[in-house]
Amino acid sequence: MEEKPELSPSLSWTALGLLLAAGVIALAVWLVSLLWGPFAYRAGLAGTPGTLTAAHCHVTGSGKYSKRDCSGTFVASTGAFTDSSAHTYDVARFDDSPIRVQRRSDGGYTQPRADRAATALSVIFGIVSGAAALLLFLCLMPLKVSFGKGVRLGANPQPWGALLWLLSRVSVGAAIAAAASLLMMVVLAILQRFL
């Protein structure tokens, strides 16, 4: 009867670490993909730009949570497409002039709003920062990786040194970008209230 070689503890921990790292990356990619569409439409980077001439608008909700929904005729900026039964939700303040909207790939309409785009961007950067921090933590777990007083991340054995250096920069950079996007969202929301 043949004996099967047992996996060494370090090899099984490495396999578990790689599995966890793959899970963190997959989760981060999935969450970012969910937020990328709304961000792109709110920023005016995706969809067919055009204007909605509102025939009817009504307010749903009340107070801080009230939203204005409008329906009317959408005309693409190029003039190549017209939809007489267009409907958009959550319209910012407007006057009698046509409302600038983006036609989404699903046939719906979204009004580009910088404050909402900044919110989505802040969350995207937060996800990237969190994922990089988790991956950095997973890289620091093995005993081979030294991280002590006065030791630079790049001084660790390769490929850990380069990976630790990269993940630490991505984590901190994305966290700073998330904070900047959040600050931009607050400033834009305040400006929108007063302008």
Side-chain angles (χ1 to χ4, degrees), residues 137-152:
F137 175 73
L138 286 173
C139 287
L140 290 173
M141 283 177 47
L143 296 176
K144 293 178 186 175
V145 178
S146 60
F147 184 72
K149 186 176 181 181
V151 177
R152 292 178 45 222

Side-chain angles (χ1 to χ4, degrees), residues 69-84:
D69 302 339
C70 296
S71 53
T73 303
F74 170 80
V75 178
S77 295
T78 61
F81 178 76
T82 302
D83 181 2
S84 58

Side-chain angles (χ1 to χ4, degrees), residues 9-10 24 68 79 81 85 88 95 125 137 148 158 178 181 184 193:
S10 64
V24 166
R68 186 178 294 118
F81 178 76
S85 59
T88 187
D95 49 22
F125 280 129
F137 175 73
Q158 296 300 328
S181 298
M184 183 172 61
R193 200 120 358 237

Side-chain angles (χ1 to χ4, degrees), residues 26-128:
L27 180 62
V29 167
W30 179 68
L31 290 173
V32 167
S33 70
L34 287 178
L35 290 167
W36 186 256
F39 162 73
Y41 288 117
R42 289 294 190 183
L45 301 174
T48 304
T51 55
L52 175 74
T53 304
H56 305 286
C57 288
H58 64 279
V59 176
T60 58
S62 62
K64 181 180 173 182
Y65 301 102
S66 65
K67 295 181 180 186
R68 186 178 294 118
D69 302 339
C70 296
S71 53
T73 303
F74 170 80
V75 178
S77 295
T78 61
F81 178 76
T82 302
D83 181 2
S84 58
S85 59
H87 188 92
T88 187
Y89 301 93
D90 195 15
V91 176
R93 289 187 292 171
F94 69 95
D95 49 22
D96 290 337
S97 60
I99 305 164
R100 185 175 158 247
V101 294
Q102 300 286 118
R103 185 172 195 268
R104 300 188 310 258
S105 59
D106 65 0
Y109 297 89
T110 300
Q111 184 182 30
R113 291 182 54 184
D115 60 329
R116 298 290 172 90
T119 302
L121 193 60
S122 175
V123 174
I124 288 170
F125 280 129
I127 291 168
V128 171

Side-chain angles (χ1 to χ4, degrees), residues 14-30 135 138:
T14 301
L16 178 63
L18 289 174
L19 188 61
L20 286 172
V24 166
I25 292 169
L27 180 62
V29 167
W30 179 68
L135 291 172
L138 286 173

Side-chain angles (χ1 to χ4, degrees), residues 148-175:
K149 186 176 181 181
V151 177
R152 292 178 45 222
L153 290 174
N156 287 287
Q158 296 300 328
W160 297 115
L163 188 59
L164 290 172
W165 182 88
L166 177 67
L167 288 173
S168 65
R169 292 335 187 253
V170 169
S171 180
V172 171

